[in-house]
Amino acid sequence: MNIQIKKTKPFKKNKLYKGFGMVSGNNSSRLLMDYKYEHPDRYNELLELIFGKEHLAVTHLKVEMGSDINSSSGTEPSVMRHREEKADVTRGSAYMLACDAKKVNPDLVLDMLYWSEPRWVTDSDDVFDARYIWYKETLIQAYNVYGIKFDCVSVNRNERAVEAEWIKYFANRLKSEKNCRYDFSKILIVAAEEEGSLRISD
């Protein structure tokens, strides 16, 4: 008997289904906070349904870094309204939601992304440096206030053209950080949040 074995293509990890993701943006998560304070049992039940390991509905949570603008259906408050301000991650509800979701599923992947940036960043003489400070201070205060560590950060503005030099700048600075609250060099970089294109591959 002559049996022929068909060769298969090598397994590609980047094409492996890893679950659904969820975005907390436009300050929409504040509606969940009504449940947290008025009906905490229902709030916990909702979190279990959304993030619980038994259901594994959502395995990746991305939160919007607010900038006090209406980014589509609402306004996510800015965590830093000027450069000298300590980031205030309690202004919106996204970081609290991230904290609570992590308690339900410690393996949940946390990510953050900006739709727009505060005016002090845009008007800065060195936009890359200012934008990096905004990210860094947010990461630090999210840990200080809620004890959450981000697994990755999306550094390219949501649904905008790819800023390759900014992505490389951010990655280099993040990887070289010293004396942070946790090891920033382990944070993964999500290079682009493109819509309808794959320009990042170029």
Side-chain angles (χ1 to χ4, degrees):
M1 177 184 283
N2 185 13
I3 299 174
Q4 291 185 342
I5 299 174
K6 184 179 179 182
K7 290 184 178 179
T8 58
K9 292 181 179 178
F11 177 74
K12 295 190 181 293
K13 282 187 177 181
N14 65 329
K15 293 186 177 180
L16 176 67
Y17 173 76
K18 297 181 180 122
F20 288 106
M22 172 179 156
V23 175
S24 172
N26 325 124
N27 207 18
S28 56
S29 295
R30 73 189 186 281
L31 300 174
L32 273 172
M33 296 305 126
D34 291 343
Y35 285 94
K36 179 167 184 170
Y37 293 108
E38 295 176 21
H39 306 285
D41 291 342
R42 288 296 186 194
Y43 176 73
N44 293 332
E45 184 181 342
L46 283 168
L47 290 192
E48 282 290 344
L49 287 170
I50 299 169
F51 302 107
K53 283 191 168 186
E54 184 179 337
H55 306 284
L56 280 181
V58 173
T59 58
H60 187 128
L61 174 62
K62 189 185 297 277
V63 300
E64 177 184 355
M65 295 177 65
S67 58
D68 289 335
I69 67 145
N70 186 336
S71 47
S72 65
S73 59
T75 301
E76 194 74 36
S78 178
V79 297
M80 287 180 72
R81 294 190 168 125
H82 53 84
R83 188 183 182 114
E84 292 73 30
E85 179 184 29
K86 182 188 290 188
D88 185 350
V89 293
T90 66
R91 284 187 180 137
S93 56
Y95 298 94
M96 181 183 290
L97 173 64
C99 174
D100 293 343
K102 265 288 198 185
K103 290 174 184 173
V104 171
N105 180 5
D107 296 328
L108 180 74
V109 175
L110 285 187
D111 188 357
M112 65 184 188
L113 167 69
Y114 81 103
W115 268 245
S116 188
E117 60 196 9
R119 192 63 182 261
W120 66 267
V121 173
T122 308
D123 291 347
S124 174
D125 293 335
D126 187 341
V127 172
F128 284 6
D129 177 67
R131 193 183 292 158
Y132 179 79
I133 295 297
W134 177 41
Y135 267 91
K136 178 184 172 183
E137 293 303 314
T138 302
L139 288 168
I140 290 170
Q141 291 307 317
Y143 182 80
N144 286 346
V145 175
Y146 292 115
I148 51 177
K149 298 178 181 180
F150 277 83
D151 302 285
C152 46
V153 289
S154 301
V155 294
N156 207 83
R157 186 177 175 187
N158 186 49
E159 298 178 358
R160 296 296 192 275
V162 174
E163 287 187 87
E165 293 309 311
W166 156 242
I167 295 166
K168 290 185 279 188
Y169 174 94
F170 182 92
N172 289 332
R173 282 198 64 176
L174 191 72
K175 300 301 180 189
S176 64
E177 279 293 349
K178 307 292 183 194
N179 302 318
C180 286
R181 295 305 307 268
Y182 58 98
D183 189 354
F184 283 3
S185 71
K186 292 183 178 177
I187 297 174
L188 302 176
I189 308 297
V190 179
E193 290 287 337
E194 296 179 75
E195 180 186 29
S197 66
L198 288 172
R199 289 184 296 268
I200 190 63
S201 57
D202 295 328

